[in-house]
Amino acid sequence: MIFFVLNPRQAVLDAAESVGASMTAVADARSLSSLTTEREAVEVADPLDALEVTRALEPIVGRSGHPPEEVLCVGLGDDSSQVAALVNSALGLAGGNFPTVRSLEVMRDKHRLRASLPTDSPLNGLHWSANISEESDGGLRRFFARAPHGIVVKPNSGSGSRGVHSITSERQLHAVQLEPGTYLVEQRFVGSEFSVESISWNGVHRPLVVTEKETGGTSGLVETGHHQPARIPDEHRDRLFDAARAVLDAADYRFGLSHSEFILEDGQPRLIEAHGRVGGDHIADLMKWSVGRSAFEALFTAYQHQQLPDAEPTGNQASVLFPDLRTWPSTDQHWLDTVRRTESVQEADVLKAAGHRGDMVCSADRHAYVILAGSTITEAKLSLQRQKALP
């Protein structure tokens, strides 16, 4: 099997090499310059232009000596997964064993995904597609009056907490300012937040791990940390696994990786959103320690063997944390040195320089990250907190 991957990180290249997969990066010149690989790459001006990518790959596929069913274009983000689906369809790749544009679009459109579930599904609460204009709030006040714990207003298409508002009081409802457009309005669920990382093959879904989330930031909705496997009873894990399968079935998602987000409210999974791609924020990488293979390794292995890969808990824990560095009293380099010499720290980096840090309104505002992994990471986290490197 030959894989052409759009805009890959170095970790994706390393995962392909670790499982013996033949992978070629397809990206612009700047992105390619950041990768370390001896394989030839395909340079395109815009890797999210499906026509450009199709034109670039068509002669290469023809010269490869491999039949089209042994070639796959892979996208690992919201946009790139849809571009890959278009390219695979246009070139007749992978024997049709790839996510369809329709299934990806159902998951990307938050209201459409909710509407695809049965009307009595406990995964849904009250939900409504609101058309907000400059002259009207679209009926938000009437909907707010029906929701027991407030409402969440989010752009109908998007991710990363950008433009999401959690409204729990009349004061907040009166103060919220929304750009004109279409929004998903849903009742606010109360409980801890989790995601399920899964892989599907021919309509059979294998949930691999539950990720436990920490949220914070200005809105309280920005994900500031992830922990694998989630520290919950097996019963709750199994309910979340079943919920992920139900969502993927509703979207008719049949092949590839997926990332489904839920709030566990009184033991009942409640759907937040789902995506036909890997989980961001290094969630895909954490799986290397928590279940023995990264999400990328699971994907390449599934296509090489044309079946679902196994993944079992390793007994290790893994976390990625996104600290607010505005309280760190020294330099960024001192912070990096402090963090990296701590046992169980696998990786760390600064995302925003000191002069550009502010409130974390969305995931793009994060200051830095730390990945911890091992048989126990509690002591490492406490040590970093004592040194003021973590809040």
Side-chain angles (χ1 to χ4, degrees), residues 308-319:
L308 289 170
D310 293 324
E312 295 293 338
T314 62
N316 289 330
Q317 298 174 323
S319 287

Side-chain angles (χ1 to χ4, degrees), residues 330-348:
S330 187
T331 65
D332 287 354
Q333 188 58 54
H334 186 203
W335 181 82
L336 283 170
D337 292 341
T338 300
V339 171
R340 287 172 176 170
R341 67 169 174 256
T342 302
E343 188 176 0
S344 297
V345 170
Q346 305 294 332
E347 189 178 331

